[in-house]
Amino acid sequence: MKKILAISVAIVTGLFVLGGYFFQDQLSPFLALIFDWGILLAGVAGLIGVGYLLRWHLSKLINHKKGRFHSVVVLSAFIFAFVAGFVLTPQNAFYRDLILNIQVPVEASLLAVLAVTLLYASLRLIRVRGWSPMAIAFLLSALVSLTLDLGLLQTGSDSLAADLLGILERLPLAGARGILLGMALGGLVVGLRVLLTMDRPYGE
Amino acid sequence: MTWSLVGWAVIGLSALMLVIFNILFKNHKAYPVRRFPAVDRLTASRAAALERGKKRAVILGHELWSPAYPGLGLGALSIVSPLLEAEQVKAGGQVIAAGDGGLLLLARQIAVGRYRDGFSKSLIESDLGVILPGMTPLSFTAGLLPELRSQPYGSMALVGNVGPEAVLWAEAVADIKEHVFAAAGPITSQAVLFPSIRDLIMGEGVFLLPGLLKARTSDRAGFLTEDILRMGCILLLVIGGILKLAGIL
């Protein structure tokens, strides 16, 4: 019975939202209500997610697992931010400064590590993939894009060279559109399979 | 004819094809499943990790739904079920990480649903290992990296909506010479993962993954529908290009 209820709710909601794309005027009041419910449910899911996060770290601490020092840091930071947020409220300027002055530098440092890792990964391209046509094409396109972005190549507006440069500059866009078209078709089929209950990611 | 009508026609046609192929493939010879060596290596690495007593990670991404890539979250959830093989769960060490409360709950629901359906008597709910290391992309990274470094992971699969920071997780596992597989959705993550991961599935291949792991009738129907839609799209683009060159469009 539970399964049938879940399936029915999923189908009706899905069809309603799908219909809303095409009959916006007629369905907009109901769609707004459905989206509000969706946002509310996502918020509740987020709260449950926080609960899972805390439980995971607590279990690491209790079971003396490796990496429990990180759990101590996470739990302490959470309790501090939670209590301070309750006492001072998130609108308080001091509280906002305090949190942002920790959060922003930490995230910036993580992004810096990411930049270095990306550079390192790019240098390992041939070692990972070998001299395959895809790897060579990737390398060449990266080099060409970097060179073009430097702006060193200047041509007259109506010359053949300008046309060639234009084609080269548009190539990444064309490639991205190709990938996005494929993904859109894939997304369409996945969505329809859920609507037709061939797939049930809301509970098998 | 409006674009709205074209949209309905494409959606209706796709739904019709899915239903028809699903019925046809139940009774007749099914559409063949193409082989992806990357998927074969994922299966092999998970089995090898199990034999060596190492953990297997499946990362489901940060978002269940995003406006730019709406199907990715659902696509990621679709692989949870085929990956929950009895022996993989019985041995323990199967970790599913999600960066979104909705993803986490649905992944857990799928796992528990299989338990309730009597899929495996040895499947214990508390051993399911569905975790949420962080709720934003960077906090997820900060939570996941220590886990990957401190526990013996033998295989990692990245699916769903992951950002460029996924390269940090991939490098953490690749550094200890273990297998990393990715079917990463967004274009940015495809681009950053391409140089560092050999077993990477890109583009529409991402949505084929559940069927590549364990092909059911509905997966085969989906493959054929997607192939027909893709061929139709290519044909239309080519015809449109020719008409434009000829000055008709």
Side-chain angles (χ1 to χ4, degrees):
Chain A
M1 183 62 196
K2 263 186 187 174
K3 265 187 182 177
I4 295 169
L5 186 70
I7 291 168
S8 313
V9 170
I11 292 174
V12 171
T13 313
L15 285 175
F16 228 79
V17 175
L18 181 64
Y21 277 106
F22 299 102
F23 305 109
Q24 282 180 2
D25 295 339
Q26 293 88 339
L27 293 176
S28 59
F30 303 104
L31 276 180
L33 185 70
I34 286 179
F35 286 141
D36 282 348
W37 288 351
I39 291 166
L40 190 70
L41 283 174
V44 173
L47 271 179
I48 296 171
V50 172
Y52 265 91
L53 179 69
L54 295 177
R55 199 183 79 164
W56 182 46
H57 284 289
L58 272 174
S59 99
K60 270 183 158 181
L61 264 183
I62 292 165
N63 298 322
H64 295 280
K65 281 189 180 168
K66 256 187 181 177
R68 56 184 181 277
F69 173 70
H70 299 285
S71 300
V72 174
V73 175
V74 171
L75 289 171
S76 313
F78 175 80
I79 292 168
F80 173 74
F82 188 73
V83 173
F86 254 107
V87 175
L88 299 171
T89 75
Q91 284 76 36
N92 183 287
F94 173 71
Y95 176 75
R96 238 184 8 238
D97 284 349
L98 186 71
I99 298 294
L100 288 179
N101 279 313
I102 296 170
Q103 189 186 348
V104 173
V106 168
E107 289 193 346
S109 58
L110 209 52
L111 283 174
V113 173
L114 177 62
V116 176
T117 312
L118 276 176
L119 182 68
Y120 172 67
S122 309
L123 293 174
R124 288 192 323 146
L125 170 68
I126 297 301
R127 209 172 73 193
V128 171
R129 294 196 164 263
W131 289 101
S132 63
M134 280 283 275
I136 295 166
F138 186 89
L139 262 182
L140 279 177
S141 57
L143 281 174
V144 169
S145 293
L146 282 172
T147 314
L148 289 179
D149 280 352
L150 286 173
L152 296 175
L153 298 173
Q154 301 291 336
T155 56
S157 55
D158 286 332
S159 62
L160 179 69
D163 289 342
L164 279 174
L165 266 183
I167 290 171
L168 280 177
E169 280 168 353
R170 283 197 294 273
L171 266 181
L173 191 65
R177 277 188 183 169
I179 290 177
L180 285 175
L181 269 176
M183 294 201 60
L185 294 178
L188 171 72
V189 172
V190 165
L192 282 174
R193 283 174 57 178
V194 173
L195 269 182
L196 297 168
T197 67
M198 291 174 177
D199 275 342
R200 290 195 288 271
Y202 40 86
E204 299 232 338
Chain B
M1 192 171 70
T2 61
W3 285 112
S4 171
L5 205 63
V6 175
W8 272 119
V10 172
I11 292 169
L13 191 70
S14 310
L16 198 69
M17 282 195 288
L18 273 173
V19 172
I20 290 172
F21 295 145
N22 202 37
I23 295 166
L24 279 179
F25 292 164
K26 267 185 183 156
N27 304 317
H28 296 85
K29 198 181 170 188
Y31 191 61
V33 178
R34 70 206 75 179
R35 295 289 295 273
F36 278 62
V39 177
D40 293 342
R41 284 194 287 268
L42 167 70
T43 315
S45 79
R46 285 175 60 80
L50 182 72
E51 282 176 11
R52 290 180 293 144
K54 294 200 165 187
K55 287 190 164 190
R56 285 90 53 207
V58 179
I59 316 287
L60 297 180
H62 304 307
E63 287 173 310
L64 175 59
W65 189 86
S66 74
Y69 302 97
L72 275 182
L74 289 176
L77 283 170
S78 305
I79 76 147
V80 173
S81 190
L83 283 178
L84 281 180
E85 295 295 338
E87 62 272 27
Q88 291 277 358
V89 184
K90 186 185 176 188
Q94 172 63 67
V95 174
I96 300 170
D100 173 288
L103 263 181
L104 174 105
L105 285 178
L106 288 172
R108 194 170 165 74
Q109 182 69 19
I110 291 169
V112 172
R114 299 210 79 181
Y115 171 71
R116 285 190 188 138
D117 288 346
F119 171 74
S120 165
K121 285 176 185 168
S122 55
L123 180 57
I124 301 162
E125 270 192 62
S126 58
D127 288 344
L128 286 174
V130 183
I131 59 167
L132 189 141
M135 306 221 23
T136 61
L138 288 177
S139 70
F140 185 89
T141 303
L144 187 67
L145 280 179
E147 167 73 12
L148 292 175
R149 298 269 184 206
S150 62
Q151 303 291 324
Y153 277 90
S155 167
M156 180 165 79
L158 303 171
V159 291
N161 204 340
V162 295
E165 67 283 349
V167 76
L168 289 171
W169 324 330
E171 287 294 327
V173 176
D175 272 355
I176 49 170
K177 308 274 185 257
E178 297 296 356
H179 183 259
V180 184
F181 166 90
I187 285 184
T188 44
S189 55
Q190 288 179 22
V192 299
L193 288 172
F194 183 82
S196 59
I197 297 179
R198 186 177 58 145
D199 293 333
L200 175 70
I201 290 187
M202 296 192 288
E204 68 273 16
V206 170
F207 294 102
L208 304 177
L209 187 58
L212 298 175
L213 285 165
K214 193 177 182 182
R216 298 167 299 168
T217 309
S218 62
D219 292 312
R220 291 174 195 271
F223 286 171
L224 184 53
T225 306
E226 219 177 306
D227 283 347
I228 291 171
L229 286 175
R230 199 178 305 135
M231 293 307 290
C233 195
I234 292 168
L235 263 175
L236 282 176
L237 283 172
V238 171
I239 292 168
I242 292 168
L243 289 178
K244 187 141 192 171
L245 274 176
I248 298 168
L249 272 182

